[in-house]
Structure formats: C-alpha cells, structure tokens
Amino acid sequence: MRSILVHADSDAASEGRLQVALDCARRFEGHVSLLIATPPMLAGDLALTASVPVLALPQDSKALDFDKPALIAWNGSPEAAHAVRAAVPFLKDRPVVIVTIGGDEGDFAAEEAARYLSRHGIHAELRAIERGVETPEERIEKEADALGAGLIVMGAFGRSRLRETIFGGATQYLVTGGRYPLLLAH
C-alpha cells in the first residue's frame, strides 16, 4: 500500500480524508496523490470502476484507528476475496472478525479467508450470523457496533442504478450512511 490516491474536493470531509491518507502513508511508508474528480463521484462508484481498493470514510472521520477491531463482511464472492487480499496491511496487529450472514453465498468459504489471513500472521475469528428481519447491511453495522470496529472490509458490488434506487444495497448503504471506515474492492 505504497501509492495512495485521495479524493480531494471542497466538501466538509475532505480534510479528514487527507489526514487519514497521510496517516496511512506514514504507517505503510507510502506516497499520497490527490484526485479532484469532476463531476464528483461517491466512493462506492469509484470502488466499482477502479482496479485498486478504495478506503471510504464517514463524513466526520479525522483519523483511522489501527488498534480497533476490523470486521470482514464475507459472502464468499470474488469481490470479498479481493477486499480481504487488499486489506492485509490494515489487518495486521488488530483483532479481526469474519462475519457471514445466513451462510456463504459464493465460491469461497469463510474458512478459506481465515486460512489465507493466517498465512499472513493474522488470526481471524469466524462468526456466522443468522439472517433475520434486518437487511444484511443493517446486520453488518450492528455487528460492527457490537465489536467496536474501526474498519469494515467488504467487496463492492454493482447493480443497475434503477435496482439500486429501488432496493438499495450494502455498498450504497454503508458508503452513504454508514458510520465506519470501509475498505472496498471489486
């Protein structure tokens, strides 16, 4: 994680994004570049179009706490696997919990993700959550609350704008209204 690109504009969260990028650059001995997007993009849109991971921050973020636990929202998809690989530098030296909601739906079991992380010296606890009346994104946020998480790692999923508008989605929900920093990869 040596090259860090920061979305810089004049919104209220810009200073916090820049500070977090500088903190990450110091921690990982990296470099920061600024991107001014016209028209502005949401982090979720950027995560779907970029071939690199995207760190999306809540509006009021001023720092990224590397000591708080990380929650990995796991559904067994290739996107989730990409996010876990990208998150390795962020997961070292902190508690990590892999959360599945209603079981793995994709090609990769949560145990495989835990095994992959163990090869990098990261011990991850597996936690299977039953699907309830809440949406998956609400369950993810509820688990992050209970964990006291400082980061949520997840795959970024894209659907048509119409479907996203009508039904919503975990990526959109957590990027636009979430309270936790997100590491997204597509």
Side-chain angles (χ1 to χ4, degrees):
M1 185 116 353
R2 303 260 178 172
S3 297
I4 301 166
L5 184 63
V6 178
H7 175 223
D9 61 11
S10 60
D11 72 354
S14 185
E15 182 181 336
R17 282 193 304 271
L18 181 58
Q19 188 58 51
V20 168
L22 292 171
D23 290 346
C24 289
R26 285 184 207 100
R27 183 176 186 99
F28 304 125
E29 298 179 5
H31 304 276
V32 174
S33 297
L34 302 179
L35 169 70
I36 300 172
T38 308
M41 299 176 78
L42 284 172
D45 295 331
L46 183 58
L48 292 174
T49 58
S51 60
V52 296
V54 172
L55 182 62
L57 302 171
Q59 285 283 347
D60 60 349
S61 286
K62 299 293 183 223
L64 189 61
D65 191 336
F66 288 95
D67 295 322
K68 285 187 175 181
L71 182 146
I72 297 173
W74 186 260
N75 69 351
S77 69
E79 292 86 356
H82 289 289
V84 167
R85 279 193 302 274
V88 166
F90 289 89
L91 301 178
K92 291 191 181 278
D93 303 322
R94 66 164 59 190
V96 176
V97 177
I98 300 172
V99 173
T100 60
I101 300 172
D104 291 340
E105 301 172 358
D107 299 332
F108 310 104
E111 293 80 11
E112 290 181 48
R115 234 182 334 273
Y116 172 81
L117 290 173
S118 72
R119 292 182 195 121
H120 292 277
I122 300 166
H123 172 73
E125 174 190 336
L126 297 175
R127 192 176 295 171
I129 307 299
E130 291 298 318
R131 206 178 280 271
V133 294
E134 299 164 309
T135 64
E137 52 271 20
E138 290 169 333
R139 287 300 304 213
I140 291 167
E141 203 164 55
K142 188 176 182 178
E143 288 300 313
D145 288 342
L147 186 61
L151 178 69
I152 296 175
V153 175
M154 64 184 282
F157 306 98
R159 297 189 281 211
S160 73
R161 288 279 179 211
L162 178 60
R163 182 177 168 108
E164 212 42 53
T165 301
I166 295 170
F167 299 110
T171 304
Q172 179 183 4
Y173 175 88
L174 292 169
V175 167
T176 58
R179 301 181 316 273
Y180 294 96
L182 300 171
L183 185 73
L184 303 166
H186 182 67

